């Protein structure tokens, strides 16, 4: 899967430095996070320094809880439904590669994307119903 982001399900009072080793978590690939980054800007996350901002910090730590989890689970559900329409293998346009003067093409397998999104949706739903939070640890 390459470089990965982790989303941990933890009690609300847990800080990122103290995530229990037995915490439930899911991994999403860096490639997928980068493709979803514009959509993730629609969700409020709390940064490690306590500031609240739109979108997760891809290179640091972010957390989400309370009412913001409802929007997060809705977004992930909608993205899952969108990717269900994709072919079994598909490409998405990535960053502009200045040295080559082209946009990179990122290849994805539908089943891998759907599996990552459904696992993330599951722990977000647990956080909503159990009054917990999600801590995201970027690369």
């Amino acid at each position: 899967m390459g470089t990965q982001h982790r989303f941990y399900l933890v009690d609300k009072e847990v800080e990122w430095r103290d995530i229990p080793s037995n915490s439930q978590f899911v991994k999403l690939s860096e490639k997928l996070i980068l493709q979803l980054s514009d959509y993730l800007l629609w969700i409020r996350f709390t940064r490690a320094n306590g500031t609240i901002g739109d979108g997760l910090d891809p290179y640091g730590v972010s957390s989400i809880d309370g009412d913001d989890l409802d929007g997060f689970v809705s977004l992930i559900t909608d993205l899952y439904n969108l990717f269900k329409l994709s072919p079994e293998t598909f490409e998405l346009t990535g960053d502009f590669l200045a040295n080559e003067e082209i946009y990179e093409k990122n290849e994805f397998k539908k089943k891998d994307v759907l599996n990552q999104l459904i696992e993330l949706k599951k722990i977000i739903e647990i956080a909503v119903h159990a009054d917990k939070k999600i801590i995201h640890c970027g690369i």
Side-chain angles (χ1 to χ4, degrees):
M1 185 186 283
T3 307
Q4 301 171 343
H5 292 246
R6 290 184 179 216
F7 292 82
Y8 291 91
L9 174 67
V10 297
D11 291 330
K12 280 190 172 181
E13 64 276 357
V14 172
E15 296 297 324
W16 69 273
R17 290 179 195 88
D18 303 317
I19 297 172
S21 60
N22 64 343
S23 294
Q24 184 178 350
F25 68 91
V26 297
K27 297 182 265 189
L28 268 68
S29 72
E30 167 71 356
K31 275 190 346 182
L32 183 57
I33 289 288
L34 289 175
Q35 292 297 152
L36 302 180
S37 62
D38 287 340
Y39 302 113
L40 292 169
L41 290 172
W42 301 342
I43 307 298
R44 290 183 334 153
F45 287 84
T46 302
R47 308 283 185 263
N49 65 6
T51 62
I52 296 174
D54 296 332
L56 55 82
D57 181 350
Y59 307 108
V61 177
S62 310
S63 65
I64 183 169
D65 63 11
D67 292 338
D68 294 321
L69 287 167
D70 294 328
F72 192 28
V73 76
S74 292
L75 175 65
I76 298 304
T77 300
D78 291 344
L79 289 168
Y80 178 87
N81 290 330
L82 175 68
F83 285 113
K84 278 191 345 187
L85 302 172
S86 72
E88 294 306 313
T89 302
F90 59 95
E91 284 186 348
L92 296 174
T93 302
D95 292 330
F96 183 72
L97 306 173
N99 291 341
E100 301 173 42
E101 297 184 351
I102 60 170
Y103 283 93
E104 69 181 341
K105 297 291 184 186
N106 293 314
E107 186 174 297
F108 294 90
K109 292 182 180 170
K110 176 180 182 173
K111 68 177 179 126
D112 293 341
V113 171
L114 294 179
N115 286 339
Q116 290 177 66
L117 292 175
I118 200 68
E119 291 303 313
L120 180 57
K121 180 183 173 187
K122 286 178 187 177
I123 69 163
I124 298 169
E125 287 175 336
I126 293 169
V128 168
H129 298 302
D131 199 30
K132 294 182 180 271
K133 73 178 177 182
I134 302 291
I135 295 178
H136 160 262
C137 295
I139 58 168

